[in-house]
Amino acid sequence: MATVGDVVVGVGLLSVTPGAAERTRHVEVSGTCEVGRIKPAEVGAGDLVLMGPTGWPASGAPQTFAATLRQCAAAAVVVDTDDDNLSAEFVSACVSHGVPIYMLPRARSFRDVEMVVAPRAMVDDAIDESGPVASILASLGAFHRASGISGAVVLDGAVLTVPSATVDTDLLRKSTALPPALLHAIPGTAAALHISLPRSGAALVLSNPRRRPLESTRVRKLANDADADAYLLRVNRTMRRPLEGSLVRELIEARIPSSAMDPWVGSFGYGTGDRVHSVAVIIGPHSDTSAARVVDALHDLGACAGLATVAAAHDSVAYALIKTGTEKDSTPPTGRDFEAHLQMFADVFVARHAELAVGGSSYVIRSSDDLTRGLINARQMAERNSRADDQSSATIALPVPLAATLLAGDSERSAALRSSLLDPVLAYDKEKDTSYVSTLVTFFALDCHSGATANELGIHINTLRYRLSRIEKLTGRGLQSMVDRTDYYLALCVGETSRGRGDRSRRTAP
């Protein structure tokens, strides 16, 4: 259950009564209520009391109202930033009775508060057995049983079909390339049919290789029902967008301690022992799609896999946290073949848009710090994949500090540094056909972050540790102390020009 502090962090509420606010930060919030729709005496224990335009007339005298809230054990009062009805008398009454008051930021609404208090139901809409995805699957199944014709609803990042059907991505591409058929002019025996669903922006594809008769009434009903459900799917995620954006931003920027983030993350349904797959999609400057559309596609991926998903964009990268099960699950839940859905995401969305690079990372949650690391690792994998697609930028550049530039002017000292730290490793690379110098460059270019370096090189982290230990044995210098790291870094920068980049072309070796 979320606490008052969780809601404050999640929505960015501004405290009007610091003393009372600090005393109640750890109070659990049981729900929200809006005065005007209910009487003050009907406020429940632990409720956040929302004061909208109709609330002030119904609240009565400030002292009586504040006393009633205290008697009901209300958690706090939330008012709009631009609400002129908030008076000094009202604030004073709440302070005297120990009832905290918070103000909404300008970009927030009472709906955002409601979603922080109870986001689990919002997030689980996609996996509800009676939700939009289940409804679309039911409609496709009923249509197939009645007509013998297979149908698929093509969303941005996923494809929904009846469970027994296999998805032919080539056929889907060819079918969606056809001009959309008009619902009032359905052809009688078409082998394939593409119908645009106007409200949701999705597409309905019918595969009819045996050219069975297409009953226009039944096709129209399927199209209208699928369009309505796909539209509902988009509406549900639109309401969650501000909250998910805040969570992803705070996880990426890591400004809030994990002790404060953990309850907030937990309110989204992510807890200790859950398996999560983080996805990052880098959107290039000349891409033909937008960050918002990539986020929608990631939501499609999670929803159609039947998995709880949080997705948002931050600094030209779209991120998703997709809960794939728990550490106690030996196999994925029935019907949730996530890898197949992930491949479909690549086939139906990534492949048809320019300058998109995808990376992923799977892990088990112990704290919110794991989500932060997972998102960062996914982004680094996406960056690596982006460089792999662009041969002109296949390696990471090592920034050269001023000290290295000055040292390069002293040939005697730079040669001594090179001979002690680079030459032994270069000789080993030449003799064993390895790439240890390249490994060292990548390690320093990524700020000595072992996980990021292993991801960048496409090797297991234990392989990286083995390589670094071999380098330490070859040079007699460690890679743990700042003094030794500084010498290594300077040697690499000074020796970059003279040694060239020949070792980087060698094969990967442990």
Side-chain angles (χ1 to χ4, degrees), residues 125-140 160 229 303:
D125 278 349
I127 60 176
D128 187 352
E129 294 301 325
S130 60
V133 171
S135 182
I136 292 173
L137 292 174
S139 296
L140 291 170
L160 286 169
D229 287 324

Side-chain angles (χ1 to χ4, degrees), residues 435-436 439 459 463-471 508-509:
S435 54
Y436 284 2
T439 298
I459 59 177
T463 302
L464 174 66
R465 290 171 181 154
Y466 173 81
R467 291 186 187 184
L468 296 180
S469 68
R470 290 295 301 165
I471 291 171
T508 300

Side-chain angles (χ1 to χ4, degrees), residues 155 167 285 327 337 441 487:
L155 305 173
V167 179
E327 63 181 334
D337 188 350
V441 170
D487 285 347

Side-chain angles (χ1 to χ4, degrees), residues 47-66:
D47 278 355
L48 282 180
V49 181
L50 311 178
M51 295 296 292
T54 61
W56 298 103
S59 65
Q63 282 291 344
T64 303
F65 179 65

Side-chain angles (χ1 to χ4, degrees), residues 244-264:
E244 293 185 3
S246 298
L247 178 67
V248 170
R249 182 184 67 248
E250 294 301 339
L251 286 171
I252 292 294
E253 296 180 354
R255 296 178 300 181
I256 301 175
S258 61
S259 58
M261 284 294 296
D262 287 347
W264 188 18

Side-chain angles (χ1 to χ4, degrees), residues 176-449:
T176 52
L178 295 172
L182 300 176
L183 282 179
H184 65 269
I186 300 296
T189 57
L193 199 63
H194 168 212
I195 300 171
S196 179
L197 305 181
R199 294 184 69 197
S200 63
L204 172 63
V205 174
L206 300 180
S207 176
N208 186 21
R210 297 185 180 180
R211 293 187 176 271
R212 292 187 169 99
L214 288 165
E215 297 181 28
S216 57
T217 303
R218 184 171 283 131
V219 173
R220 280 196 295 269
K221 183 180 186 310
L222 173 62
N224 290 332
D225 289 348
D227 195 17
D229 287 324
Y231 178 72
L232 180 59
L233 198 62
R234 295 202 182 284
V235 169
N236 287 346
R237 72 181 52 152
T238 298
M239 293 189 294
R240 301 196 302 263
R241 187 170 293 157
L243 189 58
E244 293 185 3
S246 298
L247 178 67
V248 170
R249 182 184 67 248
E250 294 301 339
L251 286 171
I252 292 294
E253 296 180 354
R255 296 178 300 181
I256 301 175
S258 61
S259 58
M261 284 294 296
D262 287 347
W264 188 18
V265 167
S267 70
F268 281 82
Y270 295 83
T272 301
D274 285 341
R275 291 188 183 277
V276 174
H277 186 91
S278 292
V279 181
V281 182
I282 297 175
I283 306 154
H286 304 295
S287 179
D288 56 351
T289 190
S290 65
R293 191 167 182 186
V294 177
V295 169
D296 277 340
L298 288 169
H299 267 299
D300 291 339
L301 164 64
C304 295
L307 302 169
T309 302
V310 168
H314 183 68
D315 289 343
S316 298
V317 182
Y319 297 95
L321 297 168
I322 303 175
K323 187 164 71 173
T324 58
T326 70
E327 63 181 334
K328 296 179 181 179
D329 297 331
S330 57
T331 57
T334 303
R336 297 180 183 176
D337 188 350
F338 178 66
E339 292 301 325
H341 285 283
L342 196 60
Q343 184 59 51
M344 186 60 64
F345 171 76
D347 291 340
V348 303
F349 185 78
V350 177
R352 73 172 187 259
H353 292 290
E355 292 196 21
L356 294 183
V358 184
S361 176
S362 296
Y363 48 94
V364 175
I365 301 176
R366 300 301 174 198
S367 73
S368 60
D369 287 340
D370 294 312
L371 295 177
T372 296
R373 284 190 287 268
L375 290 172
I376 292 173
N377 286 342
R379 185 188 65 210
Q380 289 168 342
M381 284 297 293
E383 290 170 347
R384 176 179 172 233
N385 292 336
S386 177
R387 285 191 292 272
D389 293 336
D390 182 4
Q391 296 301 319
S392 64
S393 58
T395 57
I396 295 181
L398 192 65
V400 179
L402 177 61
T405 304
L406 297 175
L407 183 60
D410 189 328
S411 57
E412 184 177 344
R413 287 186 171 85
S414 61
L417 187 62
R418 171 189 167 88
S419 64
S420 64
L421 290 175
L422 278 191
D423 285 354
V425 185
L426 284 167
Y428 187 87
D429 277 350
K430 185 176 181 180
E431 179 185 353
K432 303 293 185 179
D433 194 25
T434 56
S435 54
Y436 284 2
V437 171
S438 179
T439 298
L440 200 57
V441 170
T442 305
F443 181 66
F444 280 104
L446 294 175
D447 299 323
C448 302
H449 190 295

